[in-house]
Amino acid sequence: MRHLATHDPLTGVANRTLLLDVLGQALPQAHAQHTALGLLYIDLDQFKEVNDRWGHQAGDTVLLATATTLRAELDGRATLARLGGDEFVVLLNPAPADPEALCSRLRERLAEPILLDGEKYQITASFGYVPLEPNDTAHHALSRADAAMYSAKRAERPEG
């Protein structure tokens, strides 16, 4: 029952409840041990188009592939969570020395084509990374990472 309450039923990764719990425990521990933490917010671009074009089963395939790829690329000290819809968050403990390189590597891996109804589909994603601050709460840290992702998404969008 606890597993069902704390994990995403589709992908098997942590859900928002578990992420906030782990984050709430990690923040004071990292502060006490002088360890840097990072939070990476990932939003799949044009995910609605997948559901509209191929249906929700294809959307589930994309979400499963995303979770599988992220799990394979992250080491065991990272906590991967799906917040819902097409949003994933990664608690990085410790924070990476080069977050831009990590985002670049994840972006490349996620861009590897997936077959949907016989057609190749390429996932794109927007990333928002924040180093966690000593005064962060779990909710505040998540909010800052979300804002960083939306800022990155706006910056990546062509002017129109």
Side-chain angles (χ1 to χ4, degrees), residues 124-160:
T124 60
S126 297
F127 294 79
Y129 175 81
V130 293
L132 299 187
E133 304 291 336
N135 62 339
D136 272 330
T137 64
H139 288 284
H140 185 251
L142 192 57
S143 177
R144 289 192 318 108
D146 181 44
M149 184 277 301
Y150 277 105
S151 177
K153 190 181 277 284
R154 281 190 301 275
E156 293 166 2
R157 190 177 301 146
E159 296 296 320

Side-chain angles (χ1 to χ4, degrees), residues 10-78:
L10 176 66
T11 62
V13 302
N15 64 14
R16 179 185 300 267
T17 300
L18 182 56
L19 175 69
L20 289 171
D21 185 45
V22 170
L23 192 51
Q25 292 175 32
L27 283 164
Q29 185 178 38
H31 181 64
Q33 296 174 351
H34 304 287
T35 305
L37 301 175
L39 203 57
L40 180 60
Y41 204 108
I42 305 165
D43 180 72
L44 303 183
D45 302 324
Q46 291 91 32
F47 183 73
K48 183 181 181 314
E49 292 175 14
V50 172
N51 286 330
D52 290 348
R53 182 173 177 185
W54 289 289
H56 290 280
Q57 188 171 6
D60 289 352
T61 298
V62 169
L63 293 170
L64 282 166
T66 300
T68 300
T69 298
L70 292 173
R71 249 185 284 195
E73 290 298 313
L74 298 166
D75 67 27
R77 294 177 298 193

